[in-house]
Amino acid sequence: MKNPPVMDATTRRWRAALFLFMLATGVSMASWVARTPAVRDALDVTTGSMGLVLFGLSVGSMAGVLASGGLVRRRGGRQAIATGAGLLVAGLLVIAGGAALEVSAGVFCGLALFGAGMGLAEVAFNIEGAAVERTLGRPVLPVLHGCFSLGTVVGALLGMGLTAARFPVGWHLAAVAVAVAAAGVWTVRAVPAGTGQEEAGPEGPAECDADADADADADASASAAGFEGGGGRHPDGIRGQLAVWQDRRLVMIGLIVLAMAFAEGSANDWLPLLMVDGHGTSATGGSLTFMLFAVAMTTGRFTGGPLLVRYGPAAVVRASALVAAAGVALVVFSDDALLAGAAVVLWGLGASLGFPVTISAAGEGVRNASARVAAVSTAGYAAFLVGPPSLGFLADHVGLRNAMVVVLVLLGGAALITRALRTPPSGAGEEPPGAQAPGARQSDLV
């Protein structure tokens, strides 16, 4: 078995830049969440009215997620990251100004900008991270998402400290905006241009040379121009974006990422309230439980790489889904608040690797890697943003603890179809013979 290629200085800088900016986005998101009560008090609105203000984040996030894939295919990942970083910074500054001036509409607009920046940047980061993985032949996306999780822990601790010190929320968010801007500038300079454009066809020049018949050359030329699907007939319109979903394996991968993203997003949205209303803990206890979940997520993402190399993504995601399901089951069915609180460690560890590993598998060993990664990322973020809020409507009828049974069922279903995460063998119709890069990840061991 060939050893993974040695990382050169350019690739090392590329990877470090992605890690840094994901850390910065995590800090910015947690900083906003931690100061939400202070913003509500500054605006002097009811909880219901604050919910309408928060809707700006959902609107912006969905717009950014849906636009990101097309932007990457047309202009490359670096352009999407640059645009997303600009919107993130602008959104934080507008939120800070709106809170300082006590203007609800200003905070709403700031959240929409902030959400759009997050959506644009994060889909592009998954595409860039998958490209780095293929270059290095070893896992990168779990650590990349781990940096975001670490950023949320740092941002939450910072927000709690500044809240206790009664530091003005406007100045806090403005300072975070400056830090995000600095990280964004360095990241854009370190990320190579045109990554998504270059990878929309067969994975690199070596593969084109190995399969250099006239039809493959035509497909490669069309893909490099930003087309995908049947020989480049479909540009970045709806037909082009849906073409990749004709692959049954990708549909199965999409279902897995839906379940794993739903499990993570449900904890992010509902875990503190689930502990307070469902298990009778204090508000502080609910917050500490969520912090425990975030730490478990971060730990899982930073330590999961060796497991992926040894056992492959199919086995790891199957085990992750079952571990997360065990944690959710204990939280839902146990009447012991301490046991339920401890079980969120299982929930967090199990949910930690599912999303990034599934995203990575979508683009592994196949043609149109960037288009596939973008499609699965979009599906995952859609589930992350839209799915968990739907639990609130169900909870109105059956209670929040019972509503979480939906998460349990989805995780169980995902565990049954993880065979789709295996790298397709050469000659299977998705990858030319001999196209697998030297040192490719050992994902066929299961």
Side-chain angles (χ1 to χ4, degrees), residues 349-440:
L349 287 173
S352 63
L353 293 175
F355 188 84
V357 173
T358 306
I359 295 296
S360 175
E364 190 176 58
V366 294
R367 300 174 62 175
N368 291 333
S370 289
R372 294 166 64 90
V373 169
V376 174
S377 296
T378 300
Y381 283 117
F384 189 87
L385 294 167
V386 177
S390 66
L391 290 176
F393 297 102
L394 181 60
D396 287 338
H397 301 283
V398 300
L400 191 52
R401 281 175 65 176
N402 291 331
M404 288 294 162
V405 173
V406 174
V407 181
L408 189 61
V409 172
L410 290 175
L411 287 170
L416 296 176
I417 58 174
T418 55
R419 288 177 62 89
L421 300 179
R422 297 179 179 181
T423 303
S426 296
E430 294 183 18
E431 180 184 19
Q436 187 160 331

Side-chain angles (χ1 to χ4, degrees), residues 42-112:
L43 298 178
D44 193 23
V45 295
T46 64
T47 301
S49 298
M50 189 63 184
L52 294 176
V53 173
L54 294 174
F55 188 61
L57 182 63
S58 298
V59 171
S61 297
M62 284 305 304
V65 164
L66 293 175
S68 184
L71 179 59
V72 171
R73 286 191 293 274
R74 290 191 302 270
R75 304 294 298 274
R78 185 170 72 176
Q79 181 62 55
I81 291 171
T83 304
L87 290 172
L88 270 171
V89 172
L92 285 169
L93 293 175
V94 172
I95 294 170
L101 297 175
E102 302 178 3
V103 179
S104 298
V107 176
F108 177 93
C109 292
L111 285 172

Side-chain angles (χ1 to χ4, degrees), residues 236-419:
D236 286 326
I238 297 298
R239 293 177 66 189
Q241 296 181 39
L242 294 178
V244 293
W245 291 109
Q246 295 174 5
D247 177 16
R248 180 176 177 274
R249 174 175 176 262
L250 190 68
V251 173
M252 302 296 280
I253 292 175
L255 292 175
I256 296 170
V257 82
L258 284 171
M260 301 307 292
F262 197 97
E264 180 182 347
S266 297
N268 288 337
D269 283 6
W270 295 111
L271 187 54
L273 191 59
L274 177 61
M275 295 304 297
V276 172
D277 291 353
H279 289 281
T281 68
S282 65
T284 301
S287 298
L288 290 175
T289 302
F290 176 73
M291 181 68 69
L292 189 62
F293 173 84
V295 170
M297 287 277 296
T298 303
T299 302
R301 285 173 170 170
F302 276 109
T303 61
L307 295 176
L308 289 168
V309 172
R310 181 169 183 178
Y311 299 108
V316 169
V317 173
R318 185 186 308 121
S320 296
L322 293 175
V323 169
V328 174
L330 288 172
V331 172
V332 171
F333 297 117
S334 173
D335 291 325
D336 188 327
L338 288 177
L339 178 60
V344 303
V345 174
L346 296 177
W347 190 345
L349 287 173
S352 63
L353 293 175
F355 188 84
V357 173
T358 306
I359 295 296
S360 175
E364 190 176 58
V366 294
R367 300 174 62 175
N368 291 333
S370 289
R372 294 166 64 90
V373 169
V376 174
S377 296
T378 300
Y381 283 117
F384 189 87
L385 294 167
V386 177
S390 66
L391 290 176
F393 297 102
L394 181 60
D396 287 338
H397 301 283
V398 300
L400 191 52
R401 281 175 65 176
N402 291 331
M404 288 294 162
V405 173
V406 174
V407 181
L408 189 61
V409 172
L410 290 175
L411 287 170
L416 296 176
I417 58 174
T418 55
R419 288 177 62 89

